[in-house]
Amino acid sequence: MTHTVNDGHNATQPDGVTTARLTVAPVAPGTATLLPLGIDKIRISGGFWGHRQQLNRDAIIPHIARWQERVGWTANFDAVANGTVGHTRSGREFSDSEVYKLLEAMSWEIARTGDEELEQRLQSIVERIASAQQPDGYLNTRFGNADQPSRYSDLEWGHELYCYGHLIQAAVARIRSGHHDRLVEIACKAADHVCDTFGPDGLAGVCGHPEIETALVELYRATGVRRYLRQARVFLDRRGRHSLQDIEFGRSYFQDDIPIADAQVLRGHAVRALYLSAGAVDAAVEADDSPTVEAVERQYQRTLQRRTYLTGGMGSHHQDEAFGDDFELPPDRAYCETCAGVASIMVAWRLLLTTGNLAYADTIERTLYNVVAASPSTEGTAFFYTNPLHQRVAGQPSDPDEVSPRAHAQLRAPWFEVACCPPNVARTLAQLATYVATTNRDGVQLLQYAPGTIHASLEDGQDVRLDVSTRYPDDGEVTVTVVAAPRDRWTLTLRIPSWADGATVEVDGQVSRAQAPSHTVHDAAADSRIVLRLPMEPRWTTADPRIDAVRGTVAVERGPLVLCAESVDLPGGADVQALRIDPKQPPRPVGDGAVAAGVLFVPNGGIEQPYGRLDAYIEDAYDIELPLVPYHRWANRGPSTMRVWIPTR
Ligand SMILES: [Zn+2]
């Protein structure tokens, strides 16, 4: 069943505020099967994600702001205003976008907490950006100013439209949280300039990095201005028609090889492909264009089936940060850029809202716990850019004052030449509550399990208020107390993860079995107590044998967590290359990880070449208790080698 939330254009109320603005969330589609709830309606009060939201506020956001000042990316805007940017500019061509992503993170954080000091910091950055905007709305610190290349002279690599996309997403966060301020004015002026310049009769180009498409659709949803939606469609229709130059990686790198609806699977640069998919779903939803939604869903499904790592990570090519072929998923060469994880969550979330398929929340959970949570260090002051599933060489600790040449970091680094990932983590953590639950005509769907409160108003105006208490994922028990419920019929739907064989739901003392993807409780009255119990025993996971790189290996998972072996846990710091595991003995739970029956072998030191007789390489072997820890925590105890997939022989 599809509900109309707001048709954007017609729903403008006399004061100019559209109903869609009232959803304090990054995605608020005009029509949806499941409706998002704003971050003002869901509060995460603690636990795994509450802790990370606090870390985001206390450490990650301030760290990012400090580094952006330090490397001069914020000052680039000042330099445009005083006319010196052509000689003094620092950072890569897309560095403006990192400042905008920080503003988006701050905006959601202010919406979440009402932090007035953070509001002051945001406003001071916005003033500096405002001073760099040209009278016609153009805004960029790398192009179009004195002693710089002219505007839009390098659509393949220039990222000007991409930067506007992030500026617009920050502005949408402001509008949705009730602010119509300078940041919104700057973004709307820039968006108008884009429509004037790249409209049907204008420059017939697209950006080498998709992102503006999804942003323009959301700006339309937030403001009701239809030309933003039209411009998004223009960009989407132009994509795949070779308006960009061919490059060494081929036009598939920026998805300009074939039209969006003609593709079978996601290909090329992973973040580009996923941002484009998000925009294509957004625009198609507003146009009631179900063939395009179905085409993107097919592509994304096939990508999940054949081009996605166990962690939910995507992208197996380092040289072009791209998807590999089907089943080309080497764990040691996994690229799995943190941003690709964030972008995959964006696509999964949009598909969940439009199709109502709760299995997409499994994908979101997997990616949140094993990609997004893996990026920041315990202190929130260093980050992973790439997320390999096998580290062969222990890394060197990063100098906390040094900028890392991005993906090469084998340990988390404080900052990168290309620092797209840290602010992407920050904005995702700040907006996290929106992914916890949805609503529809019938009731509420609980998608992610975190302690806190949920408040939904059903279509007939009746309120549902839920209190959730849980230690998940340390423990599989989730207790939902119905604080307020409709007098009439309603449903509470609990997502059951695909791995949760044997899950049960207890309603006021009555226990029943629950199966993936969901279990529905009918007409729970106020004060009802519903207890979901998910099996959290460690479990073996094997891979499709067509993923050659991990054939003959197993991984261990526990609840939503992928576990891994780290050399710091091996006797004498032995190397993870020398590990084997005995899959006949089940792994035992220990803490939030596990212990399995392992074997460490001693390589034959006399071997002169690595190819020969089957029994030539191993001199000795001995049994060990093999500790396995959550992947998201790896490398937090200093340099180590690590592997997720462990050979069985
Ligand atoms: Zn990134």
Side-chain angles (χ1 to χ4, degrees), residues 337 339 385 420-421:
E337 182 179 340
C339 287
Y385 185 112
C420 46
C421 299

Side-chain angles (χ1 to χ4, degrees), residues 102-217:
L102 172 67
L103 292 182
E104 187 190 342
M106 287 176 159
S107 299
W108 293 123
E109 190 54 31
I110 292 163
R112 188 176 81 85
T113 58
D115 186 332
E116 286 184 13
E117 195 249 317
L118 191 59
E119 174 75 27
Q120 296 304 317
R121 275 157 51 203
L122 176 136
Q123 291 302 342
S124 75
I125 297 172
V126 169
E127 283 309 311
R128 295 163 73 184
I129 292 168
S131 70
Q133 189 165 35
Q134 298 187 16
D136 68 347
Y138 182 85
L139 175 57
N140 194 276
T141 68
R142 175 68 180 80
F143 292 87
N145 304 293
D147 305 313
Q148 286 187 330
S150 58
R151 297 176 178 189
Y152 310 121
S153 54
D154 184 6
L155 286 176
E156 284 75 16
W157 301 107
H159 288 75
E160 287 150 289
L161 294 165
Y162 166 87
C163 288
Y164 291 138
H166 283 300
L167 172 68
I168 290 168
Q169 285 183 321
V172 166
R174 294 298 285 174
I175 297 170
R176 293 254 168 81
S177 49
H179 302 269
H180 197 98
D181 61 2
R182 197 83 187 268
L183 177 54
V184 177
E185 286 166 22
I186 295 167
C188 289
K189 198 168 163 187
D192 289 336
H193 156 77
V194 169
C195 296
D196 292 342
T197 309
F198 287 90
D201 302 322
L203 271 175
V206 297
C207 188
H209 199 314
E211 155 66 22
I212 193 165
E213 299 83 357
T214 187
L216 281 171
V217 177

